[in-house]
Amino acid sequence: MSDLLERLRGRGWRMTAQRRVVAEVLNGEHVHLTADEVHARAVAKLPEISRATVYNTLGELVTLGEVLEVSTDKRAKRYDPNAHRPHHHLVCARCGAIRDVHPTGNPLADLPDSERFGFTVSDVEMTYRGLCPNCASA
Amino acid sequence: MSDLLERLRGRGWRMTAQRRVVAEVLNGEHVHLTADEVHARAVAKLPEISRATVYNTLGELVTLGEVLEVSTDKRAKRYDPNAHRPHHHLVCARCGAIRDVHPTGNPLADLPDSERFGFTVSDVEMTYRGLCPNCASA
DNA sequence: GCTTGACTTAGACAAAGTCCATTGTAGGAT
DNA sequence: ATCCTACAATGGACTTTGTCTAAGTCAAGC
Ligand SMILES: [Mn+2]
Ligand SMILES: [Mn+2]
Ligand SMILES: [Zn+2]
Ligand SMILES: [Zn+2]
């Protein structure tokens, strides 16, 4: 996504082949890859790219707010390039498929003061779970 | 919690010292311990208990539905004995403190059909984030 | 084209969790 | 009370996920 690359250059990033490849891999809708998956796909395009660089680049992208870290399952973190439109996730309990969803309503308003324990609440993250069409029919 | 031990015995569990200790450790309100924390506290009561046994027992308790697995941070899973009253979590972004919360409203109803992608949606998990009173004042 | 500091690399290290062969024991049978 | 045995516990090897570092490389400004 040259959009992203443009923004990164604007932030003073050196444009290396490795960073370009990671940005390319993280492109599309409903993309939620683990670091290892990103690495595997990056290696397909640039065989000598190292695991450390993938982790570094992902970490930098997260710090810059260009990519989100998502932990829908309890295994590896997943990296989500859809950072500019707030959304939640719908996860298949069997196969792990993940879709971006946009529920209506304001869940922050649904947490009464008596349930806030004096916290300053700023954000809520929702994970819907169920079965995808494939897994439901099997 | 002899309640829990009673139920486990009813399910045909052998009552070993190790299982008793793990059940004891997982007792109280707003308890969300990692496996290692459970192990550390178990060792204090029964020095020879092994890590593998703690993991095994926690896994069995989760399978039986007596304990919930929670992943509020992106590190280790946490084990939650409050499995019999549905609830969500409020997490301090700085210190990691976790409270059980009970939002009003029905988040499942807030996911329109057009946002379900053909999934059979059965459950939703909400994680509120913010700062606890301590961390907010610091 | 140099230069230089930012970037990449391989591999060591660490944390969280799983697996397995062996040893131990809870609890029913005698 | 003792025996038996299927179930449970153990320690350690192994895997997965992620971090760190020292040494080498190269993007980009001059
Ligand atoms: Mn997403
Ligand atoms: Mn809880
Ligand atoms: Zn599925
Ligand atoms: Zn705090």
Side-chain angles (χ1 to χ4, degrees), chain A residues 16-41:
Chain A
T16 66
Q18 290 84 347
R19 285 171 167 179
R20 242 187 301 269
V21 164
V22 169
E24 255 179 72
V25 166
L26 285 175
N27 193 17
E29 298 283 311
H30 303 287
V31 169
H32 306 90
L33 299 168
T34 65
D36 260 7
E37 288 166 349
V38 172
H39 182 236
R41 297 185 189 201

Side-chain angles (χ1 to χ4, degrees), chain A residues 29-32 68 70 79-83 85 87-89 98-101:
Chain A
E29 298 283 311
H30 303 287
V31 169
H32 306 90
L68 300 175
V70 178
Y79 293 88
D80 183 345
N82 183 9
R85 176 150 179 236
H87 65 279
H88 298 278
H89 292 105
I98 304 176
R99 319 284 344 201
D100 289 348
V101 296

Side-chain angles (χ1 to χ4, degrees), chain B residues 13-76:
Chain B
W13 263 34
R14 278 199 198 165
M15 266 314 128
T16 66
Q18 290 84 347
R19 284 170 167 180
R20 242 187 301 268
V21 163
V22 170
E24 256 179 72
V25 167
L26 286 175
N27 194 16
E29 299 281 312
H30 303 286
V31 169
H32 307 92
L33 298 170
T34 65
D36 261 7
E37 287 166 350
V38 172
H39 182 236
R41 296 183 190 202
V43 162
K45 295 168 184 265
L46 184 70
E48 68 273 24
I49 192 172
S50 72
R51 246 167 39 94
T53 295
V54 169
Y55 274 104
N56 286 341
T57 306
L58 290 173
E60 291 158 357
L61 289 168
V62 169
T63 298
L64 294 179
E66 297 287 354
V67 163
L68 299 176
E69 247 173 34
V70 179
S71 12
T72 49
D73 60 29
K74 282 122 186 175
R75 315 282 302 182

Side-chain angles (χ1 to χ4, degrees), chain A residues 80-114:
Chain A
D80 183 345
N82 183 9
H84 297 302
R85 176 150 179 236
H87 65 279
H88 298 278
H89 292 105
L90 170 56
V91 182
C92 177
R94 182 177 296 176
C95 73
I98 304 176
R99 319 284 344 201
D100 289 348
V101 296
H102 306 84
T104 64
N106 179 2
L108 278 178
D110 285 345
L111 192 65
D113 269 350
S114 62

Side-chain angles (χ1 to χ4, degrees), chain A residues 104-112 115 126 128, chain B residues 86-88 101-111 124 126 128:
Chain A
T104 64
N106 179 2
L108 278 178
D110 285 345
L111 192 65
E115 288 279 295
M126 304 175 70
Y128 289 89
Chain B
H87 65 280
H88 298 276
V101 296
H102 305 85
T104 63
N106 179 3
L108 277 179
D110 285 344
L111 192 66
V124 60
M126 305 175 69
Y128 290 89

